Amino acid sequence: MLVEPEDDLAEQAKTLLAEYGPVGAGSAFGDFGAFEASDYPCWIVTGHHPDILNVVFKDHPDPAEKGEPGHPENLLPGLLGRAARVDDAKSLNVIHVEDNR
C-alpha cells in the first residue's frame, strides 16, 4: 500500500521491502501491530514502515475476539504477518500489482 506511488509500483515495492522488510531483533524493524479487518476474514499486520503491511487470512471463522493492536489475541496473526514480511523481503518476488490512482 504505497502512500506516495511512483511510476514503477513493482520496483518501488521491491526497494521498500529490501530496505525495510527484514526484521532486526531489538529494533523497530521487529515491531508490528495486528488488527482484524472489519469487512474481510483476515488480519492486517503493520510494521515500522507505513507502506508495508501483510494480510493474514483466517483459517476458520473466528480464531480470536476482535481486539486492539496490542492485545494478546493479536499476537499470533502479528507474528505470522511479520514472518511473511521477512520472506517477502528475501524473495522480492512481485506477484500482483494493482494501481488505483
Side-chain angles (χ1 to χ4, degrees):
M1 305 278 302
L2 300 169
V3 176
E4 295 182 23
E6 297 173 358
D7 290 336
D8 188 339
L9 300 178
E11 192 59 36
Q12 183 181 4
K14 290 194 290 187
T15 299
L16 287 170
L17 277 171
E19 185 173 350
Y20 299 103
V23 171
S27 74
F29 280 42
D31 292 347
F32 61 85
F35 59 93
E36 188 174 358
S38 58
D39 296 331
Y40 301 96
C42 65
W43 296 81
I44 306 298
V45 181
T46 61
H48 59 284
H49 195 284
D51 291 335
I52 300 173
L53 60 83
N54 287 84
V55 177
V56 176
F57 290 97
K58 294 180 180 181
D59 291 333
H60 46 82
D62 194 11
E65 293 296 318
K66 186 182 284 188
E68 296 300 316
H71 285 211
E73 65 266 15
N74 298 341
L75 182 61
L76 181 58
L79 290 171
L80 291 170
R82 183 177 71 178
R85 186 182 80 214
V86 171
D87 291 344
D88 292 343
K90 288 178 183 176
S91 73
L92 298 177
N93 182 27
V94 176
I95 58 171
H96 178 76
V97 174
E98 190 168 322
D99 190 347
N100 292 319
R101 286 183 269 185

